[in-house]
Amino acid sequence: QVQLVESGGGVVQPGRSLRLSCAASGFTFSIYAIHWVRQAPGKGLEWVAVISSDGGHAHYADSVKGRFTMSRDNSKNTVDLQMNSLRAEDTAVYYCGRLGYCSGGSCHYYGMDVWGQGTTVTVSS
Amino acid sequence: EIVVTQSPGTLSLSPGERATLSCRASQSVSNNRLAWYQQKPGQAPRLLIYGASSRATGVPDRFSGSGSGTDFTLTISRLEPEDSAVYYCQQYGYLYSFGQGTKLEIK
């Protein structure tokens, strides 16, 4: 079935790095943009980053720009989020999700219709 | 950056009543690219509405979306106990941003 599965979360000290992964299955991964969205404990959803279907473009929220980097490997159906210089305020559940695809020269946006189950990142000394 | 504001923060209604949730954007949302999500405790969000008014697959027709430009509404008619959740709107017309959420409680 169509699914996304995140991994790589854990407890890390402030200033250190962590790499999250998102593995896709059940759909044509290479035509979809993939997003990361996070949710701090007891808080709302915060959009973090997106990478284009071919991996050529990425955009980041101001709160993570310069510290987080997305990459993807369409041969393995995976997306990674490299998180450097982590701060306490990066503590959250991190979800990957798909929103929009481009095919045949046109793009289609249907909202974030597939989400992973989330992986927890805790930044603490 | 487009800032998205939801109201009210909390809504408490009885089964069978109608819920009206509001979402306002600081700038006009391109092509009405506005989505609504439902999130229950311990779960990932679930897409309800995209393109401001189109229901996602499998979403009951009790859920409907409307609006354009900067003002959007999610209406849930005939509330059921399982509708208790936090509801978020998201604009994806220019980059991406979520509202802060509306908590819907069913009495």
Side-chain angles (χ1 to χ4, degrees):
Chain A
Q1 71 276 28
V2 174
Q3 67 175 354
L4 296 167
V5 178
E6 303 94 339
S7 61
V11 180
V12 61
Q13 293 179 329
R16 303 298 291 267
S17 299
L18 201 61
R19 191 176 187 90
L20 305 183
S21 290
C22 171
S25 60
F27 64 96
T28 306
F29 178 74
S30 61
I31 65 172
Y32 281 89
I34 300 295
H35 297 248
W36 286 96
V37 173
R38 68 185 180 183
Q39 187 167 36
K43 302 298 184 181
L45 302 173
E46 178 188 15
W47 177 79
V48 174
V50 58
I51 191 165
S52 61
S53 57
D54 64 359
H57 299 90
H59 295 281
Y60 303 91
D62 288 344
S63 58
V64 307
K65 199 173 295 182
R67 300 187 299 122
F68 290 13
T69 303
M70 278 189 79
S71 60
R72 69 188 292 162
D73 185 339
N74 284 347
S75 68
K76 296 180 179 178
N77 287 2
T78 58
V79 164
D80 287 345
L81 182 67
Q82 177 66 41
M83 305 186 295
N84 297 332
S85 303
L86 282 162
R87 306 166 180 168
E89 53 265 37
D90 296 318
T91 294
V93 175
Y94 284 73
Y95 298 99
C96 62
R98 73 176 196 186
L99 192 167
Y101 69 92
C102 296
S103 179
S106 63
C107 294
H108 307 271
Y109 301 95
Y110 298 122
M112 198 166 295
D113 64 338
V114 178
W115 297 68
Q117 83 289 353
T119 188
T120 301
V121 173
T122 303
V123 183
S124 173
S125 54
Chain B
E1 177 192 356
I2 297 180
V3 176
V4 179
T5 304
Q6 292 184 240
S7 61
T10 303
L11 196 54
S12 183
L13 295 168
S14 298
E17 290 191 304
R18 171 191 297 255
T20 302
L21 286 66
S22 176
C23 175
R24 177 165 289 178
S26 60
Q27 304 171 40
S28 183
V29 178
S30 175
N31 297 114
N32 291 331
R33 288 177 179 167
L34 190 287
W36 289 93
Y37 302 88
Q38 176 193 67
Q39 187 181 34
K40 297 182 178 180
Q43 296 183 15
R46 171 198 179 195
L47 177 66
L48 298 175
I49 302 288
Y50 64 91
S53 60
S54 297
R55 264 188 304 276
T57 303
V59 175
D61 59 8
R62 301 185 293 104
F63 292 86
S64 63
S66 62
S68 64
T70 60
D71 292 301
F72 301 88
T73 301
L74 174 69
T75 301
I76 312 171
S77 61
R78 307 183 305 279
L79 282 168
E80 297 186 4
E82 61 263 31
D83 297 333
S84 180
V86 180
Y87 292 83
Y88 296 94
C89 59
Q90 178 201 27
Q91 71 81 22
Y92 51 100
Y94 176 70
L95 293 181
Y96 310 86
S97 47
F98 288 93
Q100 79 278 21
T102 291
K103 183 176 184 179
L104 174 61
E105 299 174 341
I106 310 300
K107 298 175 186 174

